[in-house]
Amino acid sequence: MNERADAPTVAVFRPDDERLADAVALLADLGAEPVPDPMLAVEATDATPRTDADYVVFTSKTGAELVSAAGWEPADETVCAIGPATADALREEGYAVDIVPEAYTSSGLVDTLAGSAEPRSAERASGDEPRAEVDGARVEVARSDHGSPVLLDGLADAGAYVHETILYRLVRPEWSGESTERAAAGDLDAACFTSSLTVEHFLEAATERGVRDAALEGLADATVGVIGDPTAETAAELGVDVDVVPSEATFDALARETLAALDRRLE
């Protein structure tokens, strides 16, 4: 790609709520020109986690907000969050969070609950750290309809009795896709994908607009960052070259490390 004197254009695909606003503000603060193009919208199912579980696992801020709105009240379950953003959202809704893994991924949470890694935090009023061992325990996973099988399979392999409750469905907004045309025109310097589904929806939108091949070529010339190895694997399977998988599974790390890689590319 050619070196640019103006601010680099960076596509971001977060849902059209405060997450997108925060992402746009961060990218602007980092000196980029954000290209917001939401590739996810939430359709709530109004379901709540089952009540007979020993552990309840949440994987997103959205899930935390939806169970609170639905009136879910935990009893003696050990409440687990996949990462700090989910944990903070649960706390904001008034829930105690017992376990956050050191590695903010599905596999990291599996390792912690299987007893092969130490939990990051525990908040029970008694001060006793929950026993991070799920062999023979009932584990409820409350998340979207597009959750990675890594979590369910890993917990089952660790000996847990696993049940999944779908709190919401993730769909693509019909009007999304501006970024695909900008990629096809060579007008994107970078793109930040936050999940496998954002990659899939980007390419669906490109196909609908008749620019899939050109958009893939545009991404090949851009710096592409993704959160997590599963997203990187999905991108590779779909023909998207990935340049950055951040050291921490947060959008802040994704944005900063993607822009740093772009700067190195332009040197």
Side-chain angles (χ1 to χ4, degrees):
M1 66 186 301
N2 296 324
E3 183 173 354
R4 296 176 182 242
D6 53 355
T9 53
V10 182
V12 56
F13 311 109
R14 309 218 75 186
D16 192 11
D17 54 25
E18 71 276 4
R19 286 166 292 185
L20 183 64
D22 290 346
V24 165
L26 173 62
L27 288 168
D29 286 345
L30 294 174
E33 177 190 332
V35 179
D37 193 7
M39 288 292 167
L40 298 175
V42 173
E43 290 184 351
T45 64
D46 297 324
T48 56
R50 62 189 301 168
T51 59
D52 61 349
D54 301 303
Y55 294 78
V56 179
V57 174
F58 293 96
T59 63
S60 69
K61 177 178 184 291
T62 299
E65 293 170 346
L66 289 177
V67 295
S68 177
W72 177 67
E73 295 183 4
D76 297 325
E77 302 97 324
T78 296
V79 177
C80 311
I82 199 168
T86 303
D88 288 346
L90 286 163
R91 295 181 186 114
E92 288 175 6
E93 298 298 336
Y95 300 118
V97 179
D98 300 297
I99 293 175
V100 182
E102 285 290 344
Y104 309 144
T105 62
S106 293
S107 57
L109 185 54
V110 169
D111 288 344
T112 296
L113 293 178
S116 57
E118 291 298 320
R120 186 178 181 87
S121 65
E123 294 183 354
R124 283 294 182 208
S126 66
D128 294 332
E129 186 170 292
R131 178 172 171 263
E133 174 58 69
V134 295
D135 188 9
R138 296 183 299 276
V139 180
E140 169 77 338
V141 178
R143 60 182 186 174
S144 80
D145 63 330
H146 281 85
S148 167
V150 170
L151 186 55
L152 303 185
D153 293 346
L155 291 171
D157 289 344
Y161 299 98
V162 185
H163 180 267
E164 181 184 36
T165 292
I166 302 302
L167 300 177
Y168 58 100
R169 299 181 182 89
L170 291 170
V171 299
R172 179 171 65 84
E174 292 182 2
W175 46 265
S176 64
E178 175 194 353
S179 63
T180 68
E181 295 187 356
R182 295 191 64 167
D187 193 29
L188 278 187
D189 295 303
C192 292
F193 293 98
T194 53
S195 67
S196 292
L197 201 54
T198 57
V199 180
E200 294 168 0
H201 284 179
F202 175 91
L203 292 176
E204 286 178 9
T207 299
E208 286 183 3
R209 292 176 182 237
V211 296
R212 182 185 179 103
D213 290 344
L216 284 170
E217 291 176 6
L219 289 182
D221 289 335
T223 298
V224 175
V226 306
I227 288 182
D229 291 334
T231 307
E233 292 169 4
T234 297
E237 290 170 358
L238 295 175
V240 176
D241 295 329
V242 173
D243 302 291
V244 176
V245 180
S247 54
E248 185 177 282
T250 63
F251 186 81
D252 187 280
L254 175 64
R256 293 178 187 277
E257 294 185 30
T258 299
L259 284 171
L262 175 60
D263 287 342
R264 291 192 297 270
R265 189 171 183 173
L266 294 177
E267 288 178 353

